[in-house]
């Protein structure tokens, strides 16, 4: 019975969490936008209730009704507008924008309500009680629990039964289709935002009197607890999500009772984030796959390299004179330089490699606490302690790379956010971090007498040198093989993996590198302050960092300079009191992040205009960013014309094949591929045809290692590769293109093609991913030149792949696959998006490629004109089963194939656009 009061208290708070989480999941399900600022909606409602009930003395019922029935829908409408503006933007912009909303709310509330006054919302619900055993239960507790259950049940029933509910479910799958059916997807989404925000507002109003005092941050983070509940509901089921809220509420209360000392004292507040982190880690990959792209696409104002070089030198000279110019704020300048390193580390992760970290302040906290303990307790020499502090963060970065490997997009963002809060609640107060006392840690300056770096001035110069070194290192990394792999990873992880490079190794590398640099930044900044406490490393800061890294313009290392100086120097140099200026700035950053879609568009237009004007005045090689390595030596027309005199052309392949044996792939109860055995030998084009949904792409995915077959084998040159991953298969000679092309859109064509060869050299070794030998780079250039020539795209070398027509992109895709010594190439509907003439030319190219290289091609295609013209042998699938195979003439003549797929007649294969009849070009899409 001693547990009963905790159980009841847990059910009450859990009910509020569940309510908030249900609203969150509803809006996520219907709009695809996960609102990281959902807690801020509850904060707005709670403060509105405080104003109406406590200040304006409105009866609580009326105040609550206004907050929930007016405030909630208005907030919902605002968010619907935000969601609409985010429509087609990348995931990073969406995350930044909702974080922006959260920052705006927290800042406005902080500015409006000074922190010196304690604000309490009185318990307004009836407090009369009855007893269950010896435990009193108040009417307020019963009302909250009943309200939570009823509202969620009503929503679940509405979602299942009502017309609008059905439309809400339909809008998840296909908004345009819903529009076509006569129901406005826009209005359906608007309703879901209204309902979702109303649920959040209700939770805010219910939660307010349960808190010892109103505080925007605590309130926002308390409702963030909803993330854990949403994870239990797999971000999809409303009842399960509500149940998740209850489970978390009860478990939190039980932890509070059970763990009163040691590391587990922090378990209760950390529990929702622990749940979030664990659920994300153990959920099946497919369930939580999120293909949204992360990279900010239009942050690239192209400034010529010489201008950047001169600018960089000028900035360095200016910074060198700061101790003479501004002695008053020297510590702030030193801090700002430490933060340059932090933003470089975050930029490497977010801007270069398209990963997300919403816990970067945690690495700083690790760095600063390690630095303090190593110098104060272990008495390590200062420089050694600085290096070891960074090294200590590396395993933590590697741990964080685990969710990065398993998850992507939004779920990675949530996992890192959960990780940061977990670290704060559970470990900040441990003796090996900031300790329980709250006094904080002491950090001392380096004591090198002949360098006098212990003075403010000396230490400033030391940090300046280290920040410049970090900037130079980051620049070198982004221009090395690793940099190219990181950018390719950001553009298309699948494209990189099927080119031969292990993307898991790349992810671990970048997380470790970023963690090291962030910890160094933390240590340097801590030493500058000389006394730090855990409060300075609130997880909210990680959100501000992310918002900042997204909104600042400029390429590396400039963005780091702008972000750091904006965050640290402006508040320090401004005339107001530090706290107010910092809050105003937070508001500004939040607003900028919120308006990111708008500024993104504007920025793109301006940068495109500028880039268009620059070429006239400057040599082409100064324009824009083409990565170094392969692209520094673009193939000259002369070298192509000379046939690469002296270069080693790969010998024509004589033997080898890709074979499947009784291959079976299942998706739950669906048998997508059912015992398929086929062979695609080198030197021939083999077709794989069948109606939509026959299992062709699934067969390709199983062959290339993107899917594990339930049964059967895949062999390459007689070698069983069934258990190998896509990168390993690519290195053994299996190339692949995709119907939805997986090019590295931000890279020039040349780098795309070169990556086909370079990814294989990079492979799965961390060392080889870092950089390549000269011989390898020569070979990469040769392979890229030859593949581009073979595909006729040499003149496109310097163009960004994202700017090409579909036909050109198909050729780039083909060339990239060919650059990697491919033996057998899987082409998935390569004519998709091509016009008639382009399709015929593409067919010619395929024949040339097979003729010149002797590679084998397995071709999935609906264009029967192309298939019958180029293929030597064709396999036909229907409902996952192989129904026929033979030469084109036999396939076309087969009654079974006609019945299953071809239908009426198929014209004789054409050889040129002129000879081709319209029937040839009709794609069979039965
Ligand atoms: N990830 C998945 N989860 C569940 N079912 C899937 C998945 N991918 C494919 N399927 C199902 O497997 C079957 C085969 O699909 P697949 O995409 O391989 O067909 P296809 O022959 O390539 O079709 P198309 O010509 O339209 O590309 C279909 O019933 C499809 O709905």
């Amino acid at each position: 019975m001693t547990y009963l009061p905790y159980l009841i208290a847990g059910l009450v708070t859990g009910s509020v969490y569940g309510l908030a989480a249900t609203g969150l999941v509803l809006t996520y399900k219907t709009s695809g936008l996960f609102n990281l600022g959902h807690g801020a909606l509850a904060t707005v409602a709670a403060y509105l209730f405080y104003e109406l009930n406590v200040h304006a003395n409105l009866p609580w019922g009326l105040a609550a009704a206004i907050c929930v029935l007016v405030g909630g829908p208005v907030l919902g409408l605002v968010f619907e507008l935000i969601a609409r503006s985010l429509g087609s933007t990348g995931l990073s912009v969406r995350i930044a924008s909702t974080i922006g909303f959260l920052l705006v709310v927290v800042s406005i509330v902080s500015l409006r309500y000074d922190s010196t006054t304690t604000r309490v919302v009185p318990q307004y619900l009836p407090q009369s009680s009855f007893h269950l055993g010896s435990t009193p239960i108040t009417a307020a507790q019963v009302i909250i629990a009943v309200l939570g259950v009823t509202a969620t049940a009503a929503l679940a029933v509405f979602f299942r039964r009502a017309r609008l509910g059905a439309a809400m479910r339909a809008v998840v799958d296909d908004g345009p289709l819903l529009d076509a059916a006569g129901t406005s997807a826009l209005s359906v989404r608007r309703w879901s935002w209204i309902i979702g925000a109303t649920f959040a507002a209700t939770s805010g109003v219910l939660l307010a009197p349960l808190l010892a005092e109103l505080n925007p941050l605590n309130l926002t983070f308390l409702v963030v607890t909803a993330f854990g509940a949403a994870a239990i509901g797999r971000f999809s089921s409303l009842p399960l999500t509500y149940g998740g809220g209850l489970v978390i509420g009860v478990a939190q209360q039980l932890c509070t009772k059970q763990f009163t000392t040691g590391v587990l004292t922090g378990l209760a507040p950390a529990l929702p984030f622990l749940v979030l982190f664990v659920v994300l880690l153990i959920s099946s990959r497919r369930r939580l796959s999120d293909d949204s792209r992360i990279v900010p696409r239009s942050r690239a104002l192209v400034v010529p390299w010489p201008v950047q070089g001169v600018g960089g030198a000028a900035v360095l000279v200016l910074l060198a004179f700061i101790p003479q110019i501004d002695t008053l704020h020297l510590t702030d300048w030193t801090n700002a330089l430490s933060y340059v390193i932090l933003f470089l580390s975050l930029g490497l992760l977010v801007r270069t490699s398209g990963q997300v970290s919403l816990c970067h302040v945690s690495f700083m906290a690790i760095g600063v606490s390690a630095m303090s303990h190593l110098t104060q307790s272990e008495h390590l020499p200062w420089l050694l302690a600085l290096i070891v502090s960074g090294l200590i963060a590396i395993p933590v970065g590697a741990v964080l790379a685990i969710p990065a490997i398993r998850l992507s997009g939004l779920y990675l963002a949530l996992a890192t956010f959960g990780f940061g809060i977990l670290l704060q609640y559970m470990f900040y107060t441990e003796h090996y971090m900031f300790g329980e006392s709250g006094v904080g840690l002491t950090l001392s300056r380096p004591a090198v007498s002949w360098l006098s770096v212990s003075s403010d001035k000396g230490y400033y110069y030391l940090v300046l040198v280290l920040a410049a070194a970090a900037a130079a290192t980051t620049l070198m990394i982004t221009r090395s093989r690793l940099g190219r792999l990181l950018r390719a990873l950001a553009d298309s992880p699948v494209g990189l993996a099927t080119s031969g490079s292990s993307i898991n190794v790349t992810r671990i590398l970048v997380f470790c590198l970023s963690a090291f640099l962030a910890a160094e930044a933390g240590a340097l900044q801590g030493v500058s302050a000389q006394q730090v406490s855990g409060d300075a490393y609130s997880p909210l800061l990680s959100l501000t960092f992310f918002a900042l890294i997204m909104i600042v313009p400029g390429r590396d290392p400039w963005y780091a300079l702008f972000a750091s100086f904006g965050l640290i120097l402006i508040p320090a140099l401004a005339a107001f009191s530090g706290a107010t200026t910092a809050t105003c700035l937070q508001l500004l950053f939040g607003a900028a992040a919120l308006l990111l879609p708008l500024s993104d568009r504007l920025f793109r237009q301006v940068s495109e205009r500028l880039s268009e004007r620059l070429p006239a005045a400057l040599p082409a090689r100064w324009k824009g960013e083409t990565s170094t390595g392969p692209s520094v030596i673009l193939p000259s027309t002369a070298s192509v014309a000379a046939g690469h005199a002296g270069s080693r052309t790969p010998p024509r392949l004589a033997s080898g094949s890709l074979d499947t044996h009784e291959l079976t792939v299942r998706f739950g109860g669906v048998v997508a591929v059912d015992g398929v055995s086929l062979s695609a030998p080198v030197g021939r084009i083999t077709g794989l045809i069948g109606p939509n949904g026959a299992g062709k792409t699934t067969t390709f995915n199983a062959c290339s290692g993107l899917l594990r077959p339930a049964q059967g084998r895949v062999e390459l040159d007689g070698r069983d590769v069934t258990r190998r991953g896509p990168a390993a298969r690519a290195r053994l000679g299996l190339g692949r293109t995709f119907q939805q092309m997986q090019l590295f859109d931000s890279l020039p064509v040349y780098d795309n093609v070169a990556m086909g060869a370079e990814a294989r050299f990079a492979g799965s070794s961390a060392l080889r991913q870092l950089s390549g030998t000269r011989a390898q780079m020569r070979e990469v250039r040769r392979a890229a030149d030859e593949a581009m020539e073979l595909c006729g795209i040499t003149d496109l070398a310097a163009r960004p792949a994202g700017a090409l027509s579909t036909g050109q992109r198909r050729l780039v895709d083909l060339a990239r696959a060919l650059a990697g010594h491919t033996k057998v190439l899987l082409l998935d509907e390569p004519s998709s998006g091509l016009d008639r003439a382009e399709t015929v030319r593409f067919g010619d190219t395929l024949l040339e490629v097979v003729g010149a290289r002797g590679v084998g091609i397995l071709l999935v295609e609906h264009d029967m004109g192309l298939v019958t013209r180029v293929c030597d042998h064709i396999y036909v699938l229907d409902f996952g089963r192989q129904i026929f195979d033979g030469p084109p003439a036999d396939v076309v003549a087969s009654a079974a194939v006609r019945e299953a797929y071809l239908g009426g007649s198929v014209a004789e294969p054409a050889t040129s656009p002129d000879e081709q009849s319209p029937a040839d070009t009709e794609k069979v899409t039965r």
Side-chain angles (χ1 to χ4, degrees), residues 467-613:
T473 310
T474 314
L475 274 177
M476 267 167 54
I477 290 171
T478 50
R479 275 144 195 79
S480 68
R481 172 179 285 172
L482 180 62
R484 289 188 289 278
L485 291 175
L486 293 178
R487 285 201 299 279
L489 178 71
D491 278 351
S492 171
V494 172
L496 184 58
T498 50
S499 295
S501 175
S502 165
I503 54 173
N504 292 347
V505 174
T506 318
R507 281 184 175 135
I508 291 173
L509 271 176
V510 70
F511 266 94
C512 290
L513 212 64
S514 183
F516 175 82
L517 280 175
E520 296 290 280
L524 290 172
Q525 176 263 330
V527 172
S528 165
Q530 293 184 305
Q531 189 80 32
V532 295
S533 75
D535 296 343
Y537 301 91
S538 155
L540 184 76
L541 268 177
S542 297
L543 303 187
T544 311
F545 295 165
F546 186 81
L548 251 177
I549 203 79
M550 288 298 300
I551 59 178
V552 285
R555 289 185 177 275
D556 33 19
W558 295 99
Y559 62 77
L561 200 72
F562 300 148
S564 138
F565 283 18
L567 184 71
I568 306 297
L569 274 182
I570 296 178
L573 302 182
F576 318 115
S577 84
T580 312
T581 321
T583 315
C584 287
L585 262 182
Q586 185 173 288
L587 177 63
L588 194 75
F589 295 152
L594 188 60
L595 299 174
L596 200 55
L598 198 71
S599 62
D600 219 29
R601 229 170 294 142
L602 244 164
F603 197 90
R604 192 166 41 230
Q605 283 166 2
V606 171
S607 87
E608 275 168 12
R609 289 253 167 89
L610 277 174
S611 307
E612 275 164 22
R613 293 199 179 168

Side-chain angles (χ1 to χ4, degrees), residues 286 667-668 670-673 690-699 701 707 739 828-829 860 862 877:
R286 209 181 315 138
F667 297 108
V670 177
V671 186
V673 176
N692 293 123
K696 305 176 296 292
T697 299
T698 307
T699 304
N701 287 342
L707 278 177
Q739 188 186 353
D828 197 352
E829 299 196 33
V860 162
H862 283 296
L877 299 186

